Amino acid sequence: MTRKLDKAGACGIASLIGSVATRAVAFGFAVSAMLALPSQAAAQDFDLTMGVLASPNSLYTAMMEQVPERISKATGGKVQVTLNDSLVGGTQITAAVRDGRVPMSGALHTYLAGDDPRMGLFNLPGLVNNMAEYTYLCEAFWCQDVERLWEENWNSVVLAEGAWCSQALFSKEPIRTLEDFRGKVLRVHNPQTAALMEAIGAEPAPLPLSEIPPALERGVIDGVFTSTCYGNGQEYWRLAENVQNWQIGPITGWVVIINKDVWESIPEDLRTAIQAEMDDLEHEALYNFYDYVNAAVADMEAAGIEYWTAPQSEVNRVTAPEYAEAAYQAFYDRARELGFDGEAYVERARAVLGK
């Protein structure tokens, strides 16, 4: 895809931190009709179902909800997109596009980090600490790499990149030191954070979003790592009143993808218009990121909830090499299985970020 941000644009993001299916062409047609030859497709309109996660009151959903209107406007109504948050489950949202069960989705790289660790590079402890760094990494090489992976391994074309609001730890008891983590059962959503939690003595628990409230209420888990915006929107602070910013895997990306065969069935002029509009969506998702984060923090503070930020000295203790090494070693081991040099890949990222 054609990206609109360059290194200078990424620097602009850093300045923000402080201010922080288908109708199947006609109902009843076989799916193969949607994959017609371009000469046939030129005379068609396209109705595409887009699978999304059920995550109300999140930055992810705010951006996904713009996709239908933007694409319709860009194509003069020739391509229509309908969002569906119940057609496929969260962990299947990518496979559904790959297999042609839905034409599009708003997917998460991190769900695929077990298959290919490059998809979870940004969750390695201490590597990416804010949206500016995420954008630098994206522009330098990472987004281009994962676009290739999406195409080769998941038969998908990337239309736009973005990220959830900064991750926070909502917990029933305060977690303000390294020692406070020990013995706590904490919901995590990626293998890198899970490895770190195990190393420091916590117990990671991978739970889908729908199971978090009852798990908190019954004491099955002691806390949850999740998006600041989503956690506020779901009012997790009513069950876990301690909201802490630990800078642990703080940026979790999302991506708008479309099945490659479906994409290639759409006439070139419409594809060009769609991609230009999705480039604009990506730009807004990245540059307006902290507006959403700050609004969520303000909402919680208005409700009497303190948004506590861990001092860097304590963050350094939690992500010290003796603990972080577990996450990095898992990355390296999986990379070796896939036939690429994981150590060199991480060092390339560090060089880009000046670390």
Side-chain angles (χ1 to χ4, degrees):
M1 63 186 285
T2 302
R3 297 194 173 278
K4 299 187 69 176
L5 293 176
D6 54 17
K7 289 294 181 64
C11 289
I13 294 179
S15 68
L16 294 177
I17 294 175
S19 65
V20 161
T22 80
R23 193 160 39 93
V25 180
F27 184 76
F29 275 29
V31 171
S32 59
M34 191 171 61
L35 308 180
L37 294 173
S39 60
Q40 295 172 302
Q44 298 177 176
D45 289 344
F46 295 82
D47 288 346
L48 309 179
T49 297
M50 180 175 171
V52 295
L53 300 175
S55 56
N57 303 311
S58 68
L59 173 54
Y60 164 88
T61 295
M63 301 312 297
M64 295 305 115
E65 287 177 343
Q66 294 185 33
V67 172
E69 181 179 357
R70 284 174 173 265
I71 288 182
S72 177
K73 182 178 179 181
T75 62
K78 293 183 180 297
V79 180
Q80 298 290 330
V81 176
T82 301
L83 302 185
N84 189 303
D85 64 7
S86 61
L87 193 60
V88 291
T91 58
Q92 291 297 308
I93 206 165
T94 301
V97 175
R98 179 195 63 200
D99 300 338
R101 285 179 280 149
V102 293
M104 298 178 65
S105 79
L108 275 63
H109 314 81
T110 195
Y111 281 177
L112 305 173
D115 295 307
D116 192 309
R118 286 168 287 193
M119 288 291 192
L121 179 68
F122 50 79
N123 286 136
L124 287 171
L127 185 62
V128 172
N129 294 320
N130 52 58
M131 178 53 82
E133 293 184 346
Y134 181 90
T135 305
Y136 276 129
L137 194 61
C138 174
E139 286 297 301
F141 70 91
W142 180 73
C143 280
Q144 184 176 357
D145 280 0
V146 296
E147 283 174 16
R148 177 177 54 80
L149 294 175
W150 283 112
E151 182 175 357
E152 293 177 355
N153 298 338
W154 288 280
N155 193 38
S156 299
V157 173
V158 173
L159 299 182
E161 294 270 2
W164 296 69
C165 285
S166 303
Q167 301 294 297
L169 173 58
F170 292 74
S171 62
K172 298 174 78 69
E173 297 179 0
I175 298 179
R176 303 292 174 88
T177 68
L178 168 63
E179 290 73 22
D180 290 342
F181 277 96
R182 291 172 180 163
K184 298 292 194 301
V185 180
L186 302 174
R187 182 264 185 178
V188 299
H189 54 65
N190 67 81
Q192 292 79 21
T193 299
L196 178 65
M197 290 298 102
E198 286 183 339
I200 64 176
E203 182 179 341
L207 288 176
L209 293 175
S210 60
E211 295 182 21
I212 291 174
L216 282 172
E217 191 167 18
R218 297 197 304 268
V220 175
I221 59 175
D222 298 301
V224 52
F225 283 100
T226 193
S227 156
T228 303
C229 300
Y230 181 75
N232 173 59
Q234 298 303 300
E235 298 187 348
Y236 284 167
W237 40 265
R238 295 188 181 279
L239 300 170
E241 66 180 8
N242 300 282
V243 183
Q244 296 118 148
N245 172 17
W246 271 98
Q247 297 183 48
I248 294 174
I251 306 298
T252 294
W254 52 254
V255 61
V256 177
I257 57 173
I258 184 169
N259 177 279
K260 183 180 178 182
D261 300 314
V262 172
W263 180 245
E264 292 177 350
S265 76
I266 298 173
E268 184 176 0
D269 62 326
L270 296 182
R271 294 202 306 267
T272 299
I274 291 170
Q275 188 59 76
E277 191 63 37
M278 291 299 95
D279 286 348
D280 286 344
L281 176 76
E282 175 177 298
H283 180 91
E284 293 176 19
L286 297 177
Y287 275 81
N288 296 338
F289 180 82
Y290 284 105
D291 290 344
Y292 287 91
V293 175
N294 291 339
V297 170
D299 281 348
M300 288 188 286
E301 290 177 342
I305 300 299
E306 177 190 6
Y307 181 73
W308 180 83
T309 298
Q312 191 59 48
S313 59
E314 202 63 27
V315 173
N316 291 343
R317 290 186 69 210
V318 170
T319 60
E322 60 264 34
Y323 303 126
E325 181 59 27
Y328 282 87
Q329 192 58 53
F331 185 101
Y332 302 151
D333 292 344
R334 182 58 179 150
R336 193 172 300 110
E337 292 173 359
L338 294 175
F340 74 93
D341 188 338
E343 288 91 339
Y345 201 83
V346 170
E347 285 307 312
R348 186 180 180 190
R350 284 177 172 151
V352 166
L353 298 172
K355 299 186 176 183

